[in-house]
Amino acid sequence: MSATIPTQFTGQAAMSKQNEEKFDLKEHSYTPRAFNEDDVIIKIECCGVCGSDLHTITCGWQAHDNFPAIVGHEIIGTVERAGANTTHKVGDRVGFGAQCSSCGECSSCKAGQENYCLKGMGGTYQGKTGDKVQPYTQGGYADYYQGPGHFAVPIPAELESAVAAPMLCAGGTVYAPLVRYGAGPGKKVGIIGIGGLGHLGVQFSAALGADTFAISHSDSKRADAEKLGAKGFVATKDAKTALAEHAATFDLIVCTSFQEGMPLQELYLPLLKPFGNMVIVGIPNSGIPAPGWAVLGKSITGSLIASPSELTEMYALAVAKGVRTWVETRPMSEATQTLQDMHEGKAKFRYVLVN
Ligand SMILES: [Zn+2]
Ligand SMILES: [Zn+2]
């Protein structure tokens, strides 16, 4: 064991439920759960800021209420201690995404779909550990992270850490359903919402060879969409024009920004070809409104992050086709202001906190 690994890890924590109008993280140290030979400990280089981080500390999802809470699940760092049962070595650069445990024994886990573990996936933060000292996991807005080597994904040398980090959650979340539902040559794919997830969705869809269209409320993101590799742009503000040009032509639509009142029946489902798929990543607390007649011959489904093997495939595609996250880096010590700016929609398109 490296003598330099501290016995306590230190991060930027929400000490209690956060007020969205005024985030206030504090430096907090914790003792990690007992190390076992399946684990690695990494010295964190950087961590992306995901929408889930905000939801968690503002208690948008009721299950997440363990405080103090260090969030962050787009973590890249260097292995400083590697358990005997892992494939990693000290010095390897690896990343942890949103998942850090699964049962390892169910049919999903055995099929390499750990993110659909039938016993439930364990989160990189706020996940149960079964340990008395640290009963729930703490995340990546910190100096070190300890987790199972199985969920630590090797980062290709061609990708800078800050660019690669957001792919661990945002990237995998859009990449996995694109592949699962056949994005590729000869397919017309729409990406709804051009933000942290969507800007990677457009790039991965284009990288897979699909005719890719950005679908956004107004024209304001048209120029960005073109730079990201979109072949076309659909402004939903003018549904009549959108339908006149694109009705029943999309094979697949991935919705990265599901908001109440969005035109699911009026526009999104009519854009799909018969037997087309609409995948919603990020299901809102309020659920998905029943689509009635509009769903006939169309499928609506959800998707949850990506498995370790899918993340590895995603990185290979990113290297081969030049997919890059558009990031703004900030010092880890500025986590509070960064969350505030993220909440206020200032990210273009992903903040990454750097140690
Ligand atoms: Zn996330
Ligand atoms: Zn399982």
Side-chain angles (χ1 to χ4, degrees):
M1 178 175 171
S2 164
T4 58
I5 299 174
T7 53
Q8 287 209 308
F9 300 169
T10 302
Q12 298 286 323
M15 302 306 287
S16 58
K17 178 180 165 159
Q18 297 287 291
N19 173 356
E20 290 181 347
E21 305 314 314
K22 198 177 186 317
F23 286 92
D24 185 19
L25 303 189
K26 298 268 191 263
E27 193 170 294
H28 169 71
S29 296
Y30 71 98
T31 303
R33 63 170 171 75
F35 186 88
N36 71 62
E37 295 303 326
D38 294 326
D39 286 331
V40 297
I41 295 175
I42 64 170
K43 186 172 203 294
I44 296 172
E45 195 180 327
C46 63
C47 184
V49 177
C50 175
S52 305
D53 302 349
L54 274 74
H55 279 289
T56 298
I57 58 177
T58 56
C59 297
W61 296 328
Q62 289 306 312
H64 294 145
D65 54 7
N66 296 306
F67 293 102
I70 298 173
V71 292
H73 60 201
E74 296 177 338
I75 314 167
I76 290 184
T78 306
V79 174
E80 292 225 337
R81 184 179 180 189
N85 300 336
T86 76
T87 55
H88 304 292
K89 302 183 305 295
V90 170
D92 288 353
R93 191 172 56 135
V94 299
F96 283 103
Q99 180 177 16
C100 262
S101 71
S102 71
C103 82
E105 286 163 6
C106 71
S107 54
S108 289
C109 286
K110 285 194 168 147
Q113 296 154 350
E114 296 89 337
N115 45 332
Y116 295 99
C117 175
L118 301 180
K119 301 226 170 111
M121 59 156 263
T124 294
Y125 55 74
Q126 300 282 309
K128 283 193 192 118
T129 65
D131 185 90
K132 278 193 189 129
V133 178
Q134 185 52 42
Y136 55 96
T137 53
Q138 298 284 21
Y141 296 3
D143 53 0
Y144 287 85
Y145 188 79
Q146 174 182 316
H150 181 74
F151 290 96
V153 179
I155 306 299
E158 293 87 345
L159 296 177
E160 277 177 59
S161 294
V163 167
M167 293 184 189
L168 288 161
C169 180
T173 296
V174 289
Y175 170 83
L178 285 168
V179 171
R180 189 179 312 132
Y181 296 101
K187 301 287 181 173
K188 183 169 172 179
V189 174
I191 305 290
I192 298 173
I194 306 305
L197 276 74
H199 91 288
L200 286 168
V202 169
Q203 291 187 73
F204 278 122
S205 176
L208 288 163
D211 289 341
T212 304
F213 287 71
I215 303 176
S216 183
H217 181 68
S218 71
D219 266 336
S220 66
K221 292 192 172 158
R222 188 184 286 265
D224 284 339
E226 280 170 15
K227 274 188 220 156
L228 292 163
K231 184 179 176 178
F233 189 90
V234 180
T236 60
K237 205 169 70 174
D238 182 3
K240 228 175 164 181
T241 304
L243 283 174
E245 290 177 12
H246 300 283
T249 60
F250 281 90
D251 296 282
L252 170 64
I253 293 176
V254 177
C255 178
T256 70
S257 153
F258 192 96
Q259 278 152 13
E260 236 157 311
M262 70 174 214
L264 185 64
Q265 303 209 46
E266 300 77 9
L267 179 60
Y268 297 164
L269 288 168
L271 287 174
L272 283 178
K273 276 182 184 170
F275 315 122
N277 290 297
M278 174 157 175
V279 186
I280 296 172
V281 296
I283 308 227
N285 292 343
S286 54
I288 299 167
W293 61 268
V295 82
L296 296 175
K298 320 267 171 95
S299 300
I300 301 178
T301 185
S303 188
L304 179 70
I305 62 168
S307 68
S309 58
E310 286 170 324
L311 291 174
T312 299
E313 288 168 21
M314 171 197 72
Y315 278 129
L317 182 70
V319 169
K321 300 285 183 177
V323 175
R324 298 292 184 268
T325 318
W326 291 12
V327 297
E328 182 183 333
T329 58
R330 300 267 183 92
M332 189 68 77
S333 57
E334 292 175 16
T336 293
Q337 187 59 45
T338 306
L339 285 177
Q340 198 68 52
D341 290 347
M342 174 92 170
H343 172 69
E344 288 165 18
K346 293 178 183 166
K348 192 181 173 186
F349 288 105
R350 209 69 165 171
Y351 292 121
V352 177
L353 298 169
V354 178
N355 273 321

